[in-house]
Amino acid sequence: MKNHIARISKNRSHFSVSLPLQIIKDGNAFVASCPVLDIATQGSTFEEAEKMFDELVKIFVEELDHMGTTAEYLLSMGWTKSKKTWVPPERQLLHESNRQVNIPCPA
């Protein structure tokens, strides 16, 4: 897991925050996701997935700001506000595995 620095906007002011970035290979695609923002994107290479992630964060946060829902969304995702800065929730991957489950199939 790699941390990326992002800029979170609130009324045109900015600050830097370290975001957890997870990249997995899914077939021919590299999928980049950020659990503390609940967003994901993909690229055809690892580097492209990183680039697409950086672009997605910028667009996503700009849209939150445009809609006036930045605080509401970040609070719903477990972020806290400290003075004029937003702090993402601390996350720690405790376990990852493949799990066998039985799924009913429609007739």
Side-chain angles (χ1 to χ4, degrees), residues 12-26:
R12 307 280 188 264
S13 62
H14 295 85
F15 67 93
S16 293
V17 62
S18 181
L19 296 175
L21 171 61
Q22 299 169 343
I23 299 180
I24 61 168
K25 190 156 192 311
D26 186 11

Side-chain angles (χ1 to χ4, degrees), residues 12 18 29 31 46 60-61 78 84-85 93 101:
R12 307 280 188 264
S18 181
V31 179
F46 186 93
F60 181 73
V61 173
K84 293 184 177 185
T85 228
L93 180 62
V101 296

Side-chain angles (χ1 to χ4, degrees), residues 51-97:
K51 180 181 175 190
M52 295 298 291
F53 174 77
D54 293 342
E55 290 177 21
L56 173 61
V57 170
K58 181 178 183 269
I59 292 167
F60 181 73
V61 173
E62 284 175 354
E63 189 61 25
L64 287 176
D65 191 42
H66 175 74
M67 295 185 313
T69 58
T70 303
E72 178 184 347
Y73 185 80
L74 293 179
L75 288 170
S76 77
M77 293 300 298
W79 291 60
T80 55
K81 191 165 186 183
S82 175
K83 297 185 183 179
K84 293 184 177 185
T85 228
W86 284 98
V87 179
E90 289 190 31
R91 308 258 179 182
Q92 181 181 10
L93 180 62
L94 299 178
H95 179 75
E96 183 175 290
S97 67

